[in-house]
Amino acid sequence: LFLPVILAILGMAAACSTTATLAEDELRLAENKVAIKNSSAYKASKLQPYIKQKANTYIIGKWQPFLYVYNWQNGKDGGWDNFCRKVGQAPVVYDEGQVNPSVRSMLNHLEYEGWYDSTIETREIVNEKRRSVKVEYDVTLGHQFPLQDIKYVVRDPGLDSLVRADSTHFTLKSGDPLAQSALEAESERLSQIFRNNGYWGFTKDPFFIYADPHTTTT
């Protein structure tokens, strides 16, 4: 009995509004779309987590039954409205002020990955009939700088011997792009080696990384 009732509720949802609970001056955030304009290899989905305001979730395709259920409320604030709020999902009210912070967050992540001087253009597409807005982020990836010379300089003899013994496992390779993410990962990897060899509590904080257009020293 329970399953058919739930299926019936979800089926009825398609005929209901997704914006009934919005104020007159509010729009629902329907979608955030990220497009990489100059690369087919870089997955746009990698940047979605850095968008500050998330749209309502979909179950299948563009189907949002729990958003419809939320909008079944009759405004009397009784048991029925409480049921709709508990089972349903409130519409995400579009906040224009979250767009620029999202752009900065994505640009910071791209630079962390080694993409320098990337740019992002935004576009808001409003559907007046549905009282919704889709935000598009058009990303142009910047430049990458390949590593040429890589040197590991360790002044402590004990630590230096561990680094030398591990040289075949170095993760930084000539030709790899200069990226803070890769440098931090290598620093943490070496820190773990030091901890495993009796240097308790060693972290990547003592690492100093210097980079110029031709040399990266760790």
Side-chain angles (χ1 to χ4, degrees):
L1 178 63
F2 177 75
L3 181 59
V5 169
I6 292 298
L7 291 178
I9 289 175
L10 297 183
M12 293 167 58
C16 300
S17 169
T18 61
T19 58
T21 58
L22 292 179
E24 289 187 5
D25 60 343
E26 292 178 334
L27 295 172
R28 180 176 69 87
L29 177 60
E31 183 181 0
N32 293 308
K33 183 177 180 181
V34 179
I36 310 299
K37 309 305 290 185
N38 60 338
S39 173
S40 58
Y42 192 98
K43 301 301 182 184
S45 58
K46 293 175 63 177
L47 295 177
Q48 283 284 351
Y50 300 94
I51 295 178
K52 299 297 184 180
Q53 188 180 35
K54 313 297 183 185
N56 288 103
T57 54
Y58 297 98
I59 294 181
I60 302 174
K62 298 294 184 181
W63 195 39
Q64 298 172 310
F66 297 107
L67 176 60
Y68 290 110
V69 170
Y70 187 90
N71 282 277
W72 284 352
Q73 297 178 60
N74 56 28
K76 297 181 180 180
D77 206 28
W80 175 250
D81 282 2
N82 289 334
F83 168 79
C84 292
R85 287 192 290 264
K86 183 176 181 179
V87 175
Q89 184 183 61
V92 176
V93 179
Y94 175 56
D95 181 1
E96 185 180 5
Q98 295 298 315
V99 174
N100 286 337
S102 297
V103 169
R104 290 194 296 270
S105 181
M106 285 189 281
L107 290 175
N108 287 339
H109 179 70
L110 286 170
E111 186 166 309
Y112 180 72
E113 288 188 321
W115 296 97
Y116 297 91
D117 300 319
S118 300
T119 60
I120 300 177
E121 294 183 359
T122 63
R123 185 166 47 256
E124 301 171 3
I125 301 176
V126 177
N127 187 320
E128 297 288 354
K129 182 179 180 180
R130 294 182 177 274
R131 295 180 63 195
S132 66
V133 58
K134 177 172 72 173
V135 184
E136 295 184 346
Y137 297 86
D138 291 342
V139 180
T140 301
L141 298 177
H143 306 290
Q144 289 187 308
F145 299 96
L147 299 174
Q148 295 185 22
D149 258 341
I150 306 168
K151 297 180 181 178
Y152 289 68
V153 180
V154 185
R155 293 186 174 86
D156 181 275
L159 296 178
D160 183 62
S161 64
L162 291 173
V163 171
R164 301 303 167 192
D166 185 68
S167 60
T168 58
H169 299 105
F170 288 168
T171 60
L172 301 176
K173 308 293 184 183
S174 179
D176 288 349
L178 172 64
Q180 184 181 347
S181 56
L183 297 173
E184 288 190 0
E186 179 68 336
S187 299
E188 179 54 44
R189 190 186 70 83
L190 291 173
S191 297
Q192 185 63 54
I193 290 174
F194 299 154
R195 290 193 293 270
N196 291 344
N197 284 273
Y199 291 86
W200 307 110
F202 196 99
T203 69
K204 62 183 177 64
D205 294 339
F207 282 85
F208 174 77
I209 298 169
Y210 171 78
D212 65 32
H214 303 291
T215 304
T216 297
T217 302
T218 303

